[in-house]
Every structure is written in structure tokens, then in C-alpha cells.
Amino acid sequence: MKRLPVERVSEFPAGERRILKIGRRSIGIFNADGRYYAVLNNCPHHGAPLCLGSIEGTMLPSQPHDYVYGREGRILKCPWHGYEFDLETGRSIYDEKKGLRVKIYRVVVEDDWVVLYH
Amino acid sequence: MHPYFADGINDLTPFLPEVWRRRIGVESSWAQHVNAASLSLPGNTMYINASGSLRRDTVHDGKVPASDPEIVRRQLLDEYQIDRAILVGAPLLGLGAIPDPDLAAALASAYNDWLSERWLQAEKRYRGGLIVAPQDPQQAAAEIERVGDRPGMVMVVIPLTDILMGDRHYYPIYDAAQSRGLPVAVHPASTEGIFVKGPRMAGTPTYYVEWHTGLTQVHQSNLMSLVCNGVFERFTDLKYIIIEGGFAWAIDIMLRLDSDWKALRTEVPWVKRRPSEYVRDHIRFTTQPFVEVKRHDHLIALLDMLEADRTLLFSSDYPHWDFDNPTRALARVPDEMRTRIFSTNAQEVFGEKLE
């Protein structure tokens, strides 16, 4: 496990993202409303640049004809086919038990720095 | 691949004769917000795609996706080492829903001129489908005469309308296309179930996801119409390409049509061979969106039953949301078949016009 300081907390405000090339991998780091997440920038579906997608909530599974919006700021939506991935688990929303998963990485704040462990 | 207008119908107006510029309505920004003030090309404004309809990463510098030949060159041709991209103009696909046949024909001609000038002359790897308005087949045949020999034109795109494709209405178009060695091609119109003169679906879907998955219904009906009306007996060299209409459904149709035909052939005695043979000899299906089949043996069986090594042509559908990545979408297809789908079948269908 390697430790990589990414940016000072003060320089990495909410709503922003960084996409870093680390060796042969591309990894996206997000500040979603104060929480930091890191995701492999490669969609398991067709290899799209997943981290160019939008951070949103989702329509939660609901009763027929009912819409319940939730998990705001927790979902990364792929820019190609729109697959949604939970930023906390890397699991796809269409089937969180057995569906596609994207690799996620640990990112923490240490001494005012956003630090990625990869 | 779908080229888009950078500025809507305004991209087309320079190529329209003045009488038609006047005809399509007021030229000012407020006109787009007032019904009946200016023409909007028919399309789907009703069913909204939850994934945004276009790949988000095809937006560059705030430009409309696929509106800049240079960006497409980099993001599609160079990125995936594509040798030939055949352009099918997205905004004109709903042309068949326009009630005025002369307006539709004028727009088709303007589009063909736009395509030649803005795209085909910009990059050697682009090829074009010339578009004809289906409402008036005589004007359509004349348009094929006018632009069919232009460098880069490889097929005739016929926007779908409310007449099935086997109907004698289309024969002047098939005749003109066949004489020039051009295959004809169809594609979802975006007007299905929305406009009265668009192709009819079986019922009115509630949701985009139903609508989109259900678009294959239209191609099923058209395929049966072509075969049962004997279009391929009348036009023995004609090839008909179903772009983005799916393909797995064709297995079911071929099986059942073959069975029915054996019993009922006296109604259509001009169908001299099994219906499925006409499909394999004359009809081609593009691959996108490819089927995502869990079991490999199921995928192979499906492709076998369709004779996919002859009948499939690769397509990406760039820049749409359901774009098929050429390096991934067909990864599980056996190598030899994949090569045929990626290039050989297209070379056979389009011939030297592809070179």
C-alpha cells in the first residue's frame, strides 16, 4: 500500500475532483460535499473514463410509480451508459450484491492533506 | 456514427434555397420558444433518457457532441484506429414524419450538401449515407441521381415513415439505389409512437426505457414486409441495412416466417425461397447495441443462428449514450467472426465505395 498526498484540504474544495495518473492507472479523487472518495478511472462495463461522470444521488428502489430521490452526493454516474456506482463501496446500483464493481481506494485527511492510499 | 449540427437547423439553412428558408419560419431566437413560429426537425422530445442520451465526454469546449469533424477524428477514428466511419445524420432521422413531401425533400437535399461539404471533404476516412425523403419516391430517386455518385457516398438512408418498407411506394427508391450499387439503410427515427407519420409501435410506451427497447418492433415489421412483398425478388442486388435496430429478434422472426411460409406460400407465391434465405442474402444488421449475454455458449449459439459472420456489421453509435466501445463490445466473439464483423462484411456490402 503506497501513500500519496494529493492536495491540501484548503485547495480541494467541495464539488471538485482530481484525476491522477499513477503508474499505468488513472485514479479519480473526489470531494463530494466534504467527503473524499477515490475510484479507478475505468468503468468495469466498457472501460469508459468513469471519473469524468457526474456525482449525484439516485432514484431509490421504490413502490410502482413512486419516485424517492436519495443518496445525494454518493453516486458516480458513468458518462457513457450511465451506470451508477456507489462511491463508498464501488458497487453498481442496479445490483449491489452481484453487479459490476469498480475499484475504490482509501482516501483520508491527515494533517490538512488529502491523502490517497493505493 | 452520428454527426450533429452545431447550431440546430441553422447549420442547414445556408444550404436551403431561399424559398425554403422562408418556408421554415422566423429566423430569430424567440421563435424557437413559440410553437409554429419556426420548424423543429421531428424527433423525440417526449421520452427522456435517464443517462442523458449522449456520452458526456463527447462534449468539448461546450460544443454539441459530434458537431466538429476534427474532434470526432481524434476521439473516434484515431482513438480506436477506425479506417472508415459511415456517417448517418442524427437530426434528419425523423424526416419521415413531416407531412409536406416537398419540405422534406428540400431538407434532405440541403443535408446531403452539408454532409459533403462539412464532413466528407474534411477527412478521408469519413463516408456518408445520403438521405432521401421517403414521402415522395420520385423526388427521392431524383436526389439519388443528383448526389449518389458524389465521392464518399456509400448508401441511401431512408428515414422511416408510416408506410412499411416492403410497400411498392418505395420501389422507385430501391430501383435508383440498386442501379447505383448503393445499399439502402434504415435507423430508428426518434418519431416512433410520437408523431402520426412516424413509424407505428405496438402501443404507446410510458417510459423511455420501454420505448428504446421496443424500437425493434418497427424493424421486425419492416423486415417481414420486405420479404413478403418480394422486394428481394424484384431487386435482386439490393442490400438493406438495419442500423441500430437490434438483431437477436431476427432469429425468432426467421424461424416463424419460414414455418408460416411453407404452409401459406400461395398467398405470396413470389417468395420462392425460404424467407430466412432472403434475410441472410440481403439484410444486414449493425451490432450496436451488442447483446450482453451471460453464458458464452448462448452467445455463440445466437450468433450462429443469425449467421453473424455474414449478416453483422460493426457500429459504434458515437456519440450516443449506448455507444459500443470497439475494443470491448465484441470481445467475446470468436476472432475470425469478429474480423468479418469489423471489416470484411462491410467491404462486401459497400464494395469499392469504401476504398
Side-chain angles (χ1 to χ4, degrees):
Chain A
M1 193 64 68
K2 299 212 183 89
R3 180 181 182 277
L4 178 69
V6 175
E7 189 113 42
R8 283 189 183 286
V9 170
S10 53
E11 316 271 304
F12 198 162
E16 289 194 9
R17 70 187 74 187
R18 306 281 182 271
I19 299 185
L20 307 180
K21 193 112 204 299
I22 300 171
R24 284 183 321 162
R25 289 170 302 169
S26 175
I27 297 179
I29 299 125
F30 301 86
N31 180 341
D33 208 23
R35 291 178 312 275
Y36 294 96
Y37 300 103
V39 180
L40 182 66
N41 187 22
N42 190 303
C43 185
H45 181 220
H46 268 217
L50 179 59
C51 295
L52 296 183
S54 50
I55 304 285
E56 309 187 1
T58 187
M59 298 299 185
L60 304 170
S62 56
Q63 290 303 304
H65 303 130
D66 208 17
Y67 287 112
V68 182
Y69 185 71
R71 293 166 85 173
E72 172 73 70
R74 307 274 171 154
I75 310 288
L76 177 58
K77 196 171 169 70
C78 183
W80 285 13
H81 306 94
Y83 281 30
E84 302 159 290
F85 295 90
D86 185 321
L87 285 166
E88 311 226 4
T89 62
R91 291 182 178 273
S92 44
I93 306 305
Y94 70 84
D95 185 344
E96 295 198 80
K97 291 206 193 94
K98 294 191 286 176
L100 290 175
R101 299 174 66 170
V102 66
K103 180 126 180 69
I104 54 170
Y105 301 88
R106 206 169 124 244
V107 57
V108 290
V109 173
E110 290 171 5
D111 299 322
D112 285 339
W113 273 83
V114 180
V115 176
L116 171 72
Y117 285 89
H118 64 97
Chain B
M1 180 268 157
H2 292 304
Y4 273 83
F5 296 137
D7 186 21
I9 202 169
N10 298 316
D11 278 22
L12 211 50
T13 44
F15 297 91
L16 277 173
E18 186 184 336
V19 292
W20 289 107
R21 278 206 296 278
R22 289 176 175 279
R23 177 73 174 70
I24 64 173
V26 181
E27 276 181 51
S28 70
S29 57
W30 59 259
Q32 274 130 55
H33 303 288
V34 179
N35 280 344
S38 79
L39 178 76
S40 298
L41 292 166
N44 173 11
T45 49
M46 204 57 53
Y47 295 103
I48 303 306
N49 178 307
S51 290
S53 182
L54 299 177
R55 270 176 54 180
R56 298 289 185 90
D57 63 332
T58 56
V59 179
H60 295 276
D61 309 320
K63 289 186 190 178
V64 172
S67 59
D68 183 336
E70 174 53 41
I71 291 177
V72 176
R73 187 215 309 266
R74 271 189 288 116
Q75 198 175 36
L76 181 67
L77 304 187
D78 294 342
E79 174 78 19
Y80 297 109
Q81 295 164 320
I82 287 175
D83 296 307
R84 297 288 181 271
I86 301 179
L87 276 44
V88 178
L92 275 276
L93 292 170
L95 199 67
I98 294 179
D100 179 348
D102 300 314
L103 171 59
L107 291 166
S109 295
Y111 169 83
N112 292 329
D113 291 340
W114 172 86
L115 182 70
S116 296
E117 187 177 300
R118 295 283 158 82
W119 288 84
L120 300 182
Q121 288 170 27
E123 160 62 56
K124 287 198 309 234
R125 287 171 286 179
Y126 293 139
R127 294 289 181 276
L130 75 97
I131 286 185
V132 295
Q135 291 86 336
D136 179 349
Q138 298 303 335
Q139 285 198 63
E143 181 67 7
I144 296 172
E145 300 285 310
R146 188 180 78 95
V147 304
D149 288 332
R150 277 201 192 154
M153 294 297 188
V154 300
M155 65 186 186
V156 179
V157 174
I158 309 175
L160 293 170
T161 186
D162 60 350
I163 304 170
L164 292 182
M165 299 306 289
D167 191 289
R168 63 201 67 188
H169 172 88
Y170 296 98
Y171 295 178
I173 303 177
Y174 295 152
D175 194 32
Q178 181 178 253
S179 315
R180 278 180 156 50
L182 295 168
V184 299
V186 295
H187 184 288
S190 300
T191 55
E192 290 85 349
I194 302 174
F195 286 81
V196 163
K197 275 187 67 70
R200 280 197 287 286
M201 296 180 83
T204 304
T206 313
Y207 299 111
Y208 176 98
V209 61
E210 278 175 80
W211 179 84
H212 187 259
T213 303
L215 290 175
T216 52
Q217 294 164 16
V218 169
H219 299 286
Q220 292 177 27
S221 298
N222 280 318
L223 183 151
M224 291 187 281
S225 173
L226 285 161
V227 172
C228 296
N229 277 279
V231 168
F232 303 120
E233 281 289 344
R234 193 183 286 268
F235 301 104
T236 54
D237 292 329
L238 187 68
K239 293 280 195 293
Y240 177 94
I241 305 171
I242 301 178
I243 304 173
E244 224 178 296
F247 52 84
W249 54 264
I251 296 169
D252 169 61
I253 298 286
M254 285 193 287
L255 288 170
R256 288 190 296 115
L257 204 48
D258 277 6
S259 296
D260 276 8
W261 168 80
K262 287 176 195 164
L264 303 173
R265 59 158 293 282
T266 54
E267 185 190 24
V268 288
W270 45 82
V271 181
K272 302 190 183 76
R273 299 190 286 149
R274 284 170 179 70
S276 58
E277 291 180 45
Y278 293 105
V279 175
R280 290 192 188 97
D281 286 347
H282 292 274
I283 298 183
R284 298 291 174 261
F285 307 84
T286 65
T287 52
Q288 182 275 339
F290 201 64
V291 286
E292 294 178 352
V293 184
K294 208 157 171 208
R295 275 173 53 173
H296 189 68
D297 56 335
H298 285 174
L299 177 64
I300 298 302
L302 192 157
L303 294 175
D304 243 6
M305 290 175 83
L306 196 62
E307 280 187 46
D309 59 343
R310 287 175 61 200
T311 57
L312 290 190
L313 302 171
F314 174 77
S315 64
S316 72
D317 195 34
Y318 177 97
H320 286 156
W321 67 287
D322 47 348
F323 162 84
D324 262 355
N325 182 338
T327 65
R328 294 280 288 258
L330 271 56
R332 293 162 74 211
V333 174
D335 287 348
E336 246 183 70
M337 185 186 285
R338 192 169 58 241
T339 304
R340 289 200 59 93
I341 295 172
F342 273 149
S343 56
T344 327
N345 290 343
Q347 289 168 329
E348 283 169 14
V349 169
F350 298 108
E352 58 186 27
K353 293 190 192 285
L354 219 51
E355 275 152 39

